[in-house]
Amino acid sequence: MPQIDHTVHVALGERAYDILIGPRLLEEAGAILADRFPGRRFGIVTDETVAKAQLPRLQTALDAAGLSYSAIVLPPGEATKSYSALEQVVEGLLAARLERGDLVIALGGGVIGDLAGFAAAITRRGMDFVQMPTSLLAQVDSSVGGKTGINSPQGKNLVGAFHQPRLVLADLSTLDTLPLRQFAAGYAEVVKYGLIDDPQFFEWLEANRSEIFAGGPARGEAIARCCAHKARVVIEDETETGVRALLNLGHTFGHALEKDTGYSDRLLHGEGVSIGMVLAHGFSTRLGLAPGQDASRVENHLKAAGLPTRLADIPGEIGSTETLMAAVAQDKKVQRGALTFILTRGIGQAFIEKNVDPQVVHGYLEEMRSA
Amino acid sequence: MPQIDHTVHVALGERAYDILIGPRLLEEAGAILADRFPGRRFGIVTDETVAKAQLPRLQTALDAAGLSYSAIVLPPGEATKSYSALEQVVEGLLAARLERGDLVIALGGGVIGDLAGFAAAITRRGMDFVQMPTSLLAQVDSSVGGKTGINSPQGKNLVGAFHQPRLVLADLSTLDTLPLRQFAAGYAEVVKYGLIDDPQFFEWLEANRSEIFAGGPARGEAIARCCAHKARVVIEDETETGVRALLNLGHTFGHALEKDTGYSDRLLHGEGVSIGMVLAHGFSTRLGLAPGQDASRVENHLKAAGLPTRLADIPGEIGSTETLMAAVAQDKKVQRGALTFILTRGIGQAFIEKNVDPQVVHGYLEEMRSA
Ligand SMILES: NC(=O)c1ccc[n+]([C@@H]2O[C@H](COP(=O)([O-])OP(=O)(O)OC[C@H]3O[C@@H](n4cnc5c(N)ncnc54)[C@H](O)[C@@H]3O)[C@@H](O)[C@H]2O)c1
Ligand SMILES: NC(=O)c1ccc[n+]([C@@H]2O[C@H](COP(=O)([O-])OP(=O)(O)OC[C@H]3O[C@@H](n4cnc5c(N)ncnc54)[C@H](O)[C@@H]3O)[C@@H](O)[C@H]2O)c1
Ligand SMILES: [Zn+2]
Ligand SMILES: [Zn+2]
């Protein structure tokens, strides 16, 4: 019997699925897949780094269960969420003669999950897929909820599909090989859940951050709480026509910064979100919506986790305020010309504001550049 | 008031839409769109040939209604259902700053409809779209039902999405500029509906073929009957897990031939379907399932419409039987290794057979090559 510490059910009717969280689920993957998807074949999609660190564990388990699979290995990094990598994955799945009822396995971080999920969505007009997230960010965020896609030269995640996985297997031990900087970046998304609407969780994180980073039981608990939170939101608003947009707290600024730094190692997604969340809190304070001490508390917590919190923390030059504003405007959370932002009334009190004046954002960013 | 001769409602719940058929609907398109989609902007996708023949009519109508739009024009032909054209359309829609609530208009034949519909499906994870089919094939078949996609080097339509349009406007007068060969190719799909399960319709076609080709009232009526037929099937089985596969009558052979001729002018899609339907009837006769005289009646009708009906009608060399069989096997109607074919017990009595022996198909094809 596999050791499963936490199970989160995502109750989406016909598209319902489970998130299983446990210490060594890759070893159990063969048995779990054979049981849940009898007679299917599998196409594993992963990146070179994860292939080295984790793929042999999965292969051994699939072999032991007598499952048939092939593997497609891509270069690591955000640049892999591209049209050309998408084509490569789709063509690889077709070349492996996978059929509509077969399954794509996304083994990796959010890049692989988004890319492989999107490839599954469009290959033969829709194949099933399983998420096996190996980064903290993927385990708490990207592997749950069915948003899949790639980046456009015009902006992040502008091309994609809503396509729910059939199962998520989060193996906690995969995080043992994840670089600390990547772990911290994922932690920004953990903090996000507290900031949106769960002040107790934020407090709990303040008390348990060290244990989460060290790998104690609080780590699994934090991941399960994040998944449960995200599942709740996704059930309520699967295709992001409403409350799901709250999950974008920090992301409009974050995406603009990621774009500006070329989706490169200069700024990881979670690092952009960290700075973005601090900016969102600071901006809300500036608008007189939120108490200034909340903004400081947020910044202090993220800083203690080793995350960048200010524009000046980004190595190298960043673009002009005009460039950043253009990226903000092109971000997909633009509705009929007006800027939509996630603002907040304080820790755990985020809300969607659809009528933000671009001029005011411009002025705030200008000031933050020299802060 | 626009003159609408026929309205077919596609009752798909939240995704329900109307197909409007009339003599000069492009002139009315501005008023219709302004009424049904107030405040939206539009991205027209079309090909060079249709742009020359029909785009000015649409632009004039949109201008008159004060609607804001941009246009993306692609080379005509099946080769446009490619990864690179898809990227071009998506990037064009993004560059035009179209938002998730805006609409993509597919003005053209099935190539443009499939491509633009797929681009709409994945741009910003799903934009709405309107079909304005300008070929007979598109008016009776491809614009209805939400199958969208592109071709893979490994086979036709292997990449795509189910994405229903919000409206279909079939302007009969657009067919006035359609080359006769293209009209005949579309007519193969008209005949298909009779062959599947409507022997009276097939008889009616035998009596009215000349008027349909000449452009009399039977043309609009035939188109409306085809749309109603397709709508019924799509409502019953939106994502083709069952009866919708019947619409693939003649298509497994047809796709293999199209692939073999490089998706070129040597063989149009409808021409491949024409030969494929004759082969499907002949094969069913060979298996002792259907009377031989039905196969002859089908062949005679298609031949009278100017369509190719035999492998020998294809200009130039075609590939070996092995090559054709490989294409048949890679066609997406393969389920768990066994060949799925649409066979028939006679005109109007098609059925899905999931256990066709590849050896028997091979033998039949081999023989037909020298027929
Ligand atoms: N779909 C969603 O809902 C959603 C939500 C949030 C973020 N995202 C997307 O997720 C992406 C970021 O995800 P990410 O941070 O996981 O990026 P990532 O996939 O690039 O992973 C980060 C790095 O860690 C490496 N790595 C991953 N797991 C490892 C392991 N166990 N051991 C060693 N190395 C490992 C990867 O090779 C990569 O170099 C972004 O593209 C973002 O847009 C999507
Ligand atoms: N989505 C579906 O359900 C579905 C169903 C059937 C076929 N299809 C697809 O449809 C495609 C074939 O469609 P098609 O035959 O319309 O091909 P097409 O779009 O290539 O059009 C045929 C030719 O006619 C020209 N044309 C179209 N309308 C014209 C007009 N009014 N005046 C002058 N020229 C005009 C085009 O420029 C093109 O050269 C194939 O790719 C096939 O796979 C899709
Ligand atoms: Zn994020
Ligand atoms: Zn067809």
Side-chain angles (χ1 to χ4, degrees), chain A residues 252-282:
Chain A
T252 298
F253 285 130
H255 284 166
L257 295 171
E258 274 185 280
K259 186 179 179 193
D260 193 68
T261 48
Y263 306 119
S264 70
D265 265 8
R266 274 175 68 202
L267 190 75
L268 302 179
H269 173 75
E271 292 172 344
V273 170
S274 176
I275 298 174
M277 290 192 300
V278 172
L279 288 174
H281 278 260

Side-chain angles (χ1 to χ4, degrees), chain A residues 307-330:
Chain A
L307 283 159
T309 56
R310 306 195 159 211
L311 297 179
D313 293 340
I314 302 171
E317 290 280 310
I318 59 167
S320 66
T321 305
E322 278 64 36
T323 315
L324 294 178
M325 283 304 296
V328 161
Q330 174 64 357

Side-chain angles (χ1 to χ4, degrees), chain A residues 39 83 90-91 95 97 99-100 102 122 124-125 148 152 154 158-160 162 239 330 335-337, chain B residues 39 83 90-91 95 97 99-100 102 122 124-125 147-148 152 154 158-160 239 330 332 335-337:
Chain A
Y83 288 102
V90 171
E91 292 299 315
R97 291 267 182 280
E99 301 169 11
R100 217 167 143 192
D102 291 330
I122 66 174
R124 298 179 185 277
R125 291 205 188 86
T148 70
S152 154
Q154 302 184 54
L158 289 174
V159 190
F162 286 94
T239 56
Q330 174 64 357
Q335 292 268 344
R336 333 246 91 251
Chain B
Y83 289 102
V90 170
E91 292 300 313
R97 293 266 183 278
E99 301 169 11
R100 217 168 144 189
D102 291 330
I122 65 173
R124 299 179 183 279
R125 292 207 188 84
K147 270 202 202 178
T148 70
S152 153
Q154 301 183 54
L158 288 175
V159 191
T239 55
Q330 175 64 355
K332 69 191 170 314
Q335 291 269 344
R336 332 248 90 251

